[in-house]
Amino acid sequence: MTNVRELLDTAAGEPTVPTPDVVSSDLRRGKLSLRRRRGLRATSGLALAGAAAIVGLAVVPHLGGDGTSDRTVTAPAGISTNAGVALVPWSQSGAPKPISSSLVPEGWTVSGSEFALVVSQPGVTTSPDDFQGKLVAMLAGDTTAASDARPVTVGDEQGTISREGDTTILLFPLSDGRLMDVQAPQSLHWDTATLVQFAEGLTVSADAPASRG
């Protein structure tokens, strides 16, 4: 009589060895999921602090329960919009942060740490270390492009753009060779041109650390 183990072996079929592309894709998706859910967990855990001077914008302070300081950017009348959330000018006062941007999504809240610029949609009050559903810009560290990534031009540099679940991933080199990683959630409803426009407005200091995770 055929025992249970033989039946299970027959149903499972012959084992197969995953290809390098499959292993690489699984590893990349795992790192991305971990990074979005757990965040960077930097030792400082500091949000962008201090007052922000917004050129032609109103700034609405919002203090979270974890001691971080966020700023929500709203646009005045007359600023043009795109198919998704509009990009509006933004600037910060005080000591410059390692990663900042001259353009941010209208109505979204700017926060982050020494490792990343994090921008959250209205109503989201989770820690800046939680990247889930947020617009994130950071140095890529060991991140690699997906095998199905498409080429895209950012400024004078050639990068790649791909999709992981509900997140669009833009990778592009800075002029000094460091790799930038921008993660945009589907809730922004941005096309490639708008995402590139945001990326071109980023400023990264020479001593900005790469992401960890």
Side-chain angles (χ1 to χ4, degrees):
M1 177 181 292
T2 303
N3 58 33
V4 174
R5 176 171 294 180
E6 291 174 341
L7 288 174
L8 291 175
D9 289 343
T10 300
E14 291 296 325
T16 59
V17 178
T19 65
D21 285 344
V22 171
V23 174
S24 176
S25 296
D26 288 345
L27 181 60
R28 184 182 60 258
R29 282 192 293 269
K31 287 182 177 179
L32 175 63
S33 177
L34 178 63
R35 187 170 291 162
R36 289 205 307 263
R37 292 177 183 276
R38 192 178 63 187
L40 301 175
R41 304 301 183 192
T43 55
S44 64
L46 298 177
L48 290 172
I54 308 301
V55 179
L57 300 177
V59 181
V60 183
H62 171 73
L63 298 179
D66 58 357
T68 61
S69 178
D70 302 335
R71 273 91 57 214
T72 300
V73 182
T74 58
I79 290 185
S80 61
T81 61
N82 52 60
V85 180
L87 276 172
V88 295
W90 184 80
S91 63
Q92 64 180 37
S93 62
K97 294 298 180 180
I99 300 175
S100 61
S101 179
S102 62
L103 297 170
V104 296
E106 180 183 1
W108 285 45
T109 301
V110 180
S111 61
S113 71
E114 62 177 320
F115 288 94
L117 174 69
V118 182
V119 191
S120 307
Q121 63 180 310
V124 173
T125 59
T126 55
S127 166
D129 289 337
D130 181 359
F131 295 167
Q132 189 71 26
K134 301 177 183 179
L135 174 63
V136 181
M138 58 191 171
L139 289 172
D142 59 354
T143 302
T144 57
S147 58
D148 59 349
R150 296 179 288 106
V152 65
T153 301
V154 181
D156 296 327
E157 306 294 340
Q158 292 298 312
T160 62
I161 190 168
S162 60
R163 187 75 171 268
E164 293 282 358
D166 61 354
T167 303
T168 300
I169 308 297
L170 173 63
L171 297 174
F172 66 96
L174 300 175
S175 58
D176 59 11
R178 292 178 297 171
L179 188 64
M180 200 67 193
D181 181 355
V182 178
Q183 303 176 12
Q186 188 176 6
S187 55
L188 283 168
H189 301 290
W190 279 356
D191 55 16
T192 298
T194 305
L195 180 55
V196 168
Q197 185 181 6
F198 169 78
E200 290 177 340
L202 292 171
T203 300
V204 185
S205 67
D207 58 352
S211 63
R212 302 186 307 183

